[in-house]
Amino acid sequence: MKYIQLEPHGDIAVVKINRPEALNAMNVDVISELSRTIDILAADESIKVVILTGTGERSFCAGADISFMVNIEPMQAEKYASAAQAVLNKIEKLEKPVIGAVNGFALGGGCELAMVCDIRYASENAKIGQPEVTIGIPPGWGGTQRLLRIVGPAKAKEMIYTGKMITADEAEKIGLVNRVIKLGAEDEVPPEAPKGDATAEKARAAEVAKVLNKKLMSECLALANEITKNSSTAVKVSKMLINRGMDTDIETGLRLEIYGWALCFAHEDRRNMMSAFLNKAKK
């Protein structure tokens, strides 16, 4: 595939949108290839966790392709949004946990793509937002629905009505990202560039961004490895129960939880893991 890179790391798959020249914006080809990739991962029982990110250091995903949208008619727009929503829904419903490694810009459709991930880690230089109203449209890939469920209606309205970007730290405060990955004293970064030397400052910023992105991916892989230590069946059922519980009343959700809980007793890994726990406790 041209626009999607799939990198296996044992039982973890890293999926990268590979269109850095357009800040990893999602045109119709990206959407099609991403959909095919998710189908491949859904069928691959050896993959336990998926990490979704963008190539380069500048952008996770800049959203929809404005150069394509500028001249399309309503029927084409409806088809474009339907295709995008279909693949985002597919990611959200994927049985395997999906971790979003938000590097750089996650705007419009990029923010909507991040929101369908189960867990979101963002680099400290990330910029997140739903700026669609600034170009004459509302969010169309799930932003008006998922953002309110994550941050609440008041904050969702503020972000969507203003179209402003927020920092990674702000996103963490409102629960839009789980964790912000920052550089510390232990990280090797280039020395400060001479003041007034714009070329040197730009080169240093690019190198720092590379170090930061490498740390972001390292932390996401560490998180994924923590998840893979657990029962994949129990994790899959937990994801289903949480997703279903978002849109149902508490009584129905609790009944679903009982069914999901009981279902796991049919799997051999449950008995093995419980026995291992008891044997360890006896020692």
Side-chain angles (χ1 to χ4, degrees), residues 115-159:
M115 286 192 289
V116 299
C117 298
D118 298 292
I119 301 169
R120 292 169 289 279
Y121 277 13
S123 56
E124 62 179 326
N125 63 349
K127 302 290 184 184
I128 303 170
Q130 299 281 172
E132 287 91 343
V133 296
T134 67
I135 56 170
I137 54 176
W141 294 6
T144 62
Q145 303 306 305
R146 291 192 176 95
L147 190 59
L148 76 88
R149 286 167 168 78
I150 294 172
V151 305
K155 200 65 186 180
K157 288 175 181 178
E158 179 185 348
M159 288 181 63

Side-chain angles (χ1 to χ4, degrees), residues 156-231:
K157 288 175 181 178
E158 179 185 348
M159 288 181 63
I160 292 171
Y161 293 175
T162 65
K164 290 182 179 179
M165 293 184 292
I166 62 174
T167 66
D169 285 334
E170 290 174 302
E172 184 182 31
K173 287 178 182 177
I174 63 175
L176 188 52
V177 301
N178 297 72
R179 182 181 170 195
V180 178
I181 306 303
K182 301 183 178 184
L183 294 177
E186 72 282 2
D187 297 300
E188 295 183 7
V189 296
E192 293 288 342
K195 289 186 177 180
D197 189 338
T199 302
E201 289 176 353
K202 185 176 180 180
R204 180 184 184 276
E207 288 302 312
V208 170
K210 288 181 181 179
V211 175
L212 181 59
N213 192 46
K214 184 177 180 181
K215 186 172 185 178
L216 171 66
M217 292 306 300
S218 177
E219 294 291 342
C220 286
L221 284 166
L223 173 64
N225 278 309
E226 283 295 310
I227 295 171
T228 60
K229 293 176 184 177
N230 301 318
S231 164

